[in-house]
Amino acid sequence: MYRVITISREYGSGGAAIAGGLASKLGWRLLDRAVISELARAAHVDPALARAYDERLDSWVHRVSRRALWRGAFEQIASVTARDFFDAETMAALSTEVITQAADQGECVIVGRGAQCLLQGRSDTFHIFVYAPVKLKLDRLRSRLTGVGNLEERAQSMDNMRADYIRAHFGCDWKNPHLYDLMINSGLGDGRAIEAILCAVQPRALNA
């Protein structure tokens, strides 16, 4: 019986919208932007700061600086703020905790953040990868982004960042088909993609 669905997505593929529609159809909780809000609240930082570190890796300069900060004199600690300690590594650790708790509760659709790796092997979880033709991705991005010069470069950069995040934290290839139960082209249209996913999961989905 499936109680959890994870959705990984190429940047601009519309995977987040498909996840939202799927959660609505099933009557399940959606964990996407909600994860950022929950983590920001738990860490007592501004949501914008949490968003800046979401699905990203710290630079080597930051990692060195962070170690140096921890080795600093005790009297310096009093002047350190939450912002000084909150980084991509912290965000990833907190994301893991939130995703695990949500999966244990069930009835949720989880977008990105390595959930397909973190929850591998669970018989109650169905993993999906959403991709799209380049033209469709660029059209989607053009409709929602302004002031961005090279959209194709932006899309490739974001996909590389997500792949690096998965490789660094889970040792997995983001596009490895063996991580997923279903890989779907959103060029079908969001509605048809959602229906196809429902057909795949419904025989074992909760309340099916």
Side-chain angles (χ1 to χ4, degrees), residues 3-4 29 100-108 122:
R3 301 174 64 248
V4 182
R29 181 184 176 195
T100 302
Q101 290 177 357
D104 288 343
Q105 293 171 6
E107 295 190 23
C108 59
R122 290 183 58 135

Side-chain angles (χ1 to χ4, degrees), residues 39 60 106 126-127 130-131 150 170 176-177 205-207:
L39 296 184
W60 70 268
F126 192 90
H127 304 289
V130 179
Y131 64 97
N150 191 325
F170 303 99
N176 180 357
L206 190 66
N207 298 327

